[in-house]
Amino acid sequence: MVELVLILIIILLAGAVVALISLTRKLKISINDMYVSRALLQYSADQEDIILKADVNGSIISVHDNVALIGMYTARELIGKNIEVLNSRLDDGSSEVMWNILKDKHETYSFTVSGKYSANTSFFFTLTIVPVMDASGGIFGYLGLHTKESHATKPVTSTKESDERARSRAHAEAILASIADGVLVTDQHGDITMLNQAGREVLGISESIGKSVIEVLPLEDDKETLLLPDKHPVYQATKGPKSVTTKNYIYVRADFTKLWLAITTAPIVFEGNVEGVVAVLRDATIEKQIDRSKTEFVSLASHQLRTPLTAINWYTELLLDHGVESLSEDQKSFVNQIRESSGRMNELVSSLLNVSRLELGTFSVDPVPTDIGAIVQSVLAELQPNIAQKQHVLTTEIDESLDNVPVDANLMRIVVQNLLSNAVKYTREKGEVTVKLYRHYPEMRFEVTDNGYGIPQNQHDKIFTKLFRADNVVEENLEGNGLGLYIVRSILEQTGGDVWFESEQNVGTTFYVSLPLTGMQKKEGTKTLI
Amino acid sequence: MKKVLIVEDDSPMARALTLKLGDAGLDSVSAGNGHEALEVLEKETVDLILLDILMPKMNGLKFLEELAKRDITIPVIVTSNLSHEDDIKEAKRLGAVEYFVKADVSLNKIVEKAQEILGV
């Protein structure tokens, strides 16, 4: 019996020594310099992460390299601060309780904090503070451990904390139930774990828990094509990337009524892993209707503007023809100014009409075998006066064998025209403009490079936005309506192509357009407007 | 002297076309819609038609259909501010030889095209 007890003691001591050696390695302190408290030995050094160390007063002396944030503090800001600052429950007297447990009882104290590891998403974790003893039994410092829930030691404030957790969970559920927007939560497989009342109402369903989100939330894109799992926003969010996105989709209710849903998805990341997805569902049908009415109005108004604009253009032309002798030089320049301005206004009206057609989907895509090089050459010929006026050096490298690509010639021309006129316009005099058309199997590429003003780095993500104009070209007082690139992208998005760019301010810009060599996708127009 | 029939409901535009055609040595006659234009054609001989599309009583597309029904083969240039591809295609299908979007084209260009078609 005595032998058995001795063996047990030896085993326990051996275990303690192994744990101690492992921990002291992490602490980079000599084992001879310290004893470790009983509490510390409760932890297996292999399983717990030491994320901070503090001195005898609780003042933090180091934070693990991988930690980016704990609570509201960066790793650097934490140095010199007392570990108390991390405990958000100080106001209810926990600070006193904490120090009582650590200093007097020499036991551990745990609380929940938010944190962030380098290159990782924020998450909540339990931080356990462990007192470290010296040889004489006095405390000489503290360790902060990131405790994994599966084997966290019994928290010192266990009863209080579990009560609080239950209360906090009930509180969170009450908040979710009260939100006017639908909130849907799935696990990492895309199976629904929660759908609040507003969500059930908007979707017109009662039972959903445990079912796949693909089954419960069938979605269509704006072309009314049912989204397969690989395009389903909520299902896809379970696979990453770990970003928050919002987009509009068509949802078909069980009674076949359709509504527009604005769906914001965000992965639920815990300890670096996607544990599920939270999606906010908002009925955007009315917004879509308003948007459509607005676009229809713009289309109608733009069209009506064309009649007076034509009269201004034609009569200024007649005035110049008939007034060759009677008009003074000043008067002629005034008339030319009117003509130039009405020309600009006409361009704006045409752009607005193109935008409204693209947004309303009323335009048709009619691909027929087309000589792309000829389109490029014809646009360059049109721009020749501007190129000559600015004394740009133009270089073209055109693969003439691209003379039979099935594209809609009008749409292709709009794309080419916008990119080329931008390059000419947004480059200072005596600039260089290079135009390339080539095969990049299985695509054709159209590339326009200039050494002009460039796009400011902080505005790269806005450049295709409707009506957006970069600060530097606005400052230079260069004309433009902020619609060209929006139109280019809309056309390419709707015809199976793509557009992107590389740009550096005051160095230049290259725009790239790609289209499959098989051409644009055909689309029937649904003309509803004049 | 070659004569051009201008079918246009907007009188300032019709006047501008008349003036410019006159400058180029072409005679012209105007009608405010397709219906009136058909009446003109019953009385007069014209060599070319400049045709608007959106007009009261009888629009330009309907007028083109009527020309075909009557086997009238006078060349037609459409001058309209409709720029939708479908309108352009429809007008050409119905026999228009050219389609100009008025806001995008100068009077000069229209008259040049007229002269080219008339061979003057």
Side-chain angles (χ1 to χ4, degrees):
Chain A
M1 188 65 190
V2 175
E3 284 167 346
L4 199 64
V5 171
L6 273 173
I7 289 167
L8 268 174
I9 291 171
I10 289 165
I11 290 171
L12 280 171
L13 278 172
V17 167
V18 168
L20 187 59
I21 290 168
S22 181
L23 268 173
T24 52
R25 277 187 190 147
K26 287 189 182 182
L27 285 163
K28 294 181 184 167
I29 52 177
S30 161
I31 193 161
N32 298 325
D33 293 343
M34 61 171 284
Y35 287 140
V36 177
S37 70
R38 184 168 49 85
L40 185 55
L41 287 178
Q42 291 172 0
Y43 291 87
S44 155
D46 295 334
Q47 291 171 327
E48 305 299 336
D49 295 327
I50 297 171
I51 61 169
L52 60 84
K53 299 172 205 166
D55 65 17
V56 65
N57 301 315
S59 182
I60 296 169
I61 48 177
S62 75
V63 177
H64 195 283
D65 289 344
N66 282 342
V67 173
L69 275 180
I70 307 176
M72 56 200 284
Y73 302 100
T74 64
R76 182 174 291 190
E77 286 167 344
L78 278 171
I79 305 295
K81 286 206 163 48
N82 196 288
I83 43 178
E84 280 187 2
V85 301
L86 296 173
N87 187 356
S88 58
R89 290 183 282 124
L90 286 181
D91 54 347
D92 64 8
S94 298
S95 176
E96 202 180 314
V97 173
M98 180 177 100
W99 288 123
N100 180 267
I101 289 164
L102 291 171
K103 283 183 178 172
D104 302 338
K105 296 187 178 169
H106 297 176
E107 286 182 352
T108 63
Y109 182 87
S110 300
F111 51 87
T112 305
V113 289
S114 64
K116 188 177 177 183
Y117 279 159
S118 308
N120 210 337
T121 316
S122 302
F123 56 91
F124 284 94
F125 66 96
T126 303
L127 181 64
T128 301
I129 307 298
V130 182
V132 183
M133 323 288 285
D134 63 17
S136 63
I139 290 174
F140 83 86
Y142 299 90
L143 301 178
L145 308 183
H146 172 171
T147 316
K148 292 185 176 63
E149 289 213 335
S150 54
H151 48 80
T153 53
K154 188 182 168 194
V156 179
T157 54
S158 60
T159 317
K160 191 176 175 187
E161 196 160 79
S162 62
D163 281 355
E164 271 188 19
R165 275 190 190 166
R167 215 172 158 269
S168 141
R169 186 179 165 81
H171 192 231
E173 280 173 3
I175 291 171
L176 285 173
S178 310
I179 290 176
D181 285 337
V183 179
L184 179 152
V185 181
T186 76
D187 62 15
Q188 69 268 43
H189 307 295
D191 294 337
I192 294 172
T193 56
M194 196 221 76
L195 178 64
N196 71 349
Q197 180 61 27
R200 291 194 293 272
E201 278 169 17
V202 76
L203 299 181
I205 53 173
S206 51
E207 264 315 305
S208 63
I209 307 300
K211 292 181 185 168
S212 167
V213 69
I214 295 164
E215 181 193 339
V216 174
L217 189 68
L219 297 173
E220 294 177 356
D221 62 15
D222 54 0
K223 297 185 184 77
E224 302 192 7
T225 309
L226 186 70
L227 297 178
L228 298 173
D230 66 327
K231 299 267 189 226
H232 195 288
V234 183
Y235 186 71
Q236 276 311 300
T238 62
K239 316 267 178 227
K242 297 168 185 172
S243 58
V244 179
T245 54
T246 303
K247 226 178 149 187
N248 291 328
Y249 301 90
I250 299 168
Y251 169 74
V252 189
R253 287 201 181 100
D255 62 1
F256 298 110
T257 54
K258 291 190 173 188
L259 72 152
W260 279 95
L261 274 186
I263 302 181
T264 304
T265 56
I268 303 166
V269 180
F270 186 73
E271 295 184 346
N273 300 315
V274 175
E275 293 211 331
V277 172
V278 56
V280 178
L281 318 170
R282 193 168 48 77
D283 185 348
T285 310
I286 292 173
E287 270 170 49
K288 274 279 174 184
Q289 282 166 352
I290 292 170
D291 203 43
R292 190 178 171 88
S293 304
K294 178 213 71 185
T295 311
E296 284 176 355
F297 171 77
V298 170
S299 173
L300 220 67
S302 306
H303 190 266
Q304 295 302 324
L305 282 169
R306 275 187 160 168
T307 304
L309 272 171
T310 306
I312 294 169
N313 282 341
W314 285 5
Y315 278 92
T316 48
E317 186 182 340
L318 285 169
L319 197 52
L320 288 168
D321 280 357
H322 289 213
V324 174
E325 286 161 14
S326 54
L327 289 180
S328 72
E329 285 308 307
D330 267 357
Q331 286 166 332
K332 277 182 199 163
S333 78
F334 301 158
V335 179
N336 272 321
Q337 189 59 56
I338 294 170
R339 203 174 180 191
E340 205 176 290
S341 299
S342 74
R344 281 222 293 278
M345 192 161 171
N346 191 42
E347 274 172 28
L348 176 62
V349 166
S350 297
S351 295
L352 286 171
L353 277 168
N354 282 332
V355 167
S356 53
R357 278 176 197 155
L358 286 162
E359 289 183 348
L360 290 167
T362 58
F363 74 109
S364 54
V365 183
D366 192 8
V368 288
T370 302
D371 185 345
I372 310 288
I375 291 183
V376 176
Q377 296 289 14
S378 127
V379 172
L380 284 172
E382 251 175 41
L383 289 169
Q384 188 49 42
N386 309 57
I387 296 170
Q389 191 196 354
K390 292 190 86 172
Q391 301 174 57
H392 288 328
V393 177
L394 177 71
T395 312
T396 53
E397 287 176 32
I398 290 174
D399 179 346
E400 288 176 358
S401 71
L402 288 165
D403 59 352
N404 203 25
V405 186
V407 300
D408 184 303
N410 285 311
L411 296 176
M412 192 69 213
R413 193 181 170 83
I414 294 173
V415 169
V416 170
Q417 205 278 337
N418 273 297
L419 295 179
L420 287 178
S421 66
N422 277 356
V424 172
K425 185 161 51 176
Y426 299 129
T427 301
R428 288 185 181 86
E429 286 189 354
K430 298 183 181 167
E432 289 168 17
V433 177
T434 306
V435 183
K436 290 182 187 171
L437 179 68
Y438 55 94
R439 283 167 201 271
H440 187 270
Y441 194 79
E443 297 167 340
M444 55 157 248
R445 289 262 173 95
F446 171 63
E447 196 179 305
V448 184
T449 303
D450 64 54
N451 62 348
Y453 297 97
I455 301 159
Q457 182 69 33
N458 62 353
Q459 297 184 324
H460 278 198
D461 57 339
K462 299 195 186 85
I463 206 71
F464 292 109
T465 311
K466 183 163 61 172
L467 297 171
F468 177 79
R469 300 200 66 216
D471 288 344
N472 55 338
V473 299
V474 173
E475 271 170 31
E476 294 282 342
N477 212 13
L478 293 165
E479 60 161 285
N481 55 35
L483 292 172
L485 290 174
Y486 173 75
I487 291 171
V488 167
R489 194 183 61 169
S490 300
I491 289 174
L492 290 163
E493 268 181 356
Q494 297 188 46
T495 54
D498 199 4
V499 57
W500 68 99
F501 67 92
E502 289 162 2
S503 183
E504 195 177 331
Q505 198 167 353
N506 295 321
V507 175
T509 305
T510 300
F511 271 93
Y512 302 88
V513 168
S514 74
L515 267 170
L517 285 164
T518 48
M520 290 179 171
Q521 293 158 4
K522 187 174 172 64
K523 175 179 172 289
E524 296 294 339
T526 48
K527 192 188 163 205
T528 55
L529 286 166
I530 50 170
Chain B
M1 192 186 270
K2 300 275 187 186
K3 189 183 270 185
V4 180
L5 167 60
I6 300 166
V7 193
E8 170 65 76
D9 63 325
D10 185 276
S11 55
M13 298 225 196
R15 184 172 172 229
L17 285 166
T18 305
L19 283 166
K20 191 73 182 181
L21 289 167
D23 291 348
L26 292 167
D27 199 3
S28 61
V29 54
S30 289
N33 58 58
H35 192 70
E36 278 180 32
L38 288 174
E39 283 175 7
V40 170
L41 289 176
E42 281 173 16
K43 291 179 224 152
E44 295 191 43
T45 307
V46 303
D47 305 290
L48 177 73
I49 300 171
L50 294 184
L51 177 69
D52 188 19
I53 290 187
L54 283 182
M55 291 180 295
K57 290 181 188 166
M58 184 189 288
N59 71 31
L61 296 176
K62 180 82 182 137
F63 174 75
L64 282 169
E65 283 173 12
E66 289 297 321
L67 286 187
K69 271 189 208 165
R70 292 161 204 230
D71 288 329
I72 298 172
T73 55
I74 303 166
V76 177
I77 297 176
V78 172
T79 54
S80 166
N81 267 331
L82 294 183
S83 57
H84 200 286
E85 263 307 293
D86 292 353
D87 295 311
I88 299 171
K89 272 189 209 156
E90 183 64 2
K92 291 200 169 168
R93 190 184 69 80
L94 292 170
V97 293
E98 184 60 86
Y99 192 112
F100 286 121
V101 176
K102 284 187 281 195
D104 294 340
V105 73
S106 64
L107 284 170
N108 204 37
K109 182 109 183 183
I110 297 171
V111 171
E112 270 177 17
K113 190 72 197 175
Q115 287 173 318
E116 183 192 317
I117 292 169
L118 293 170
V120 293

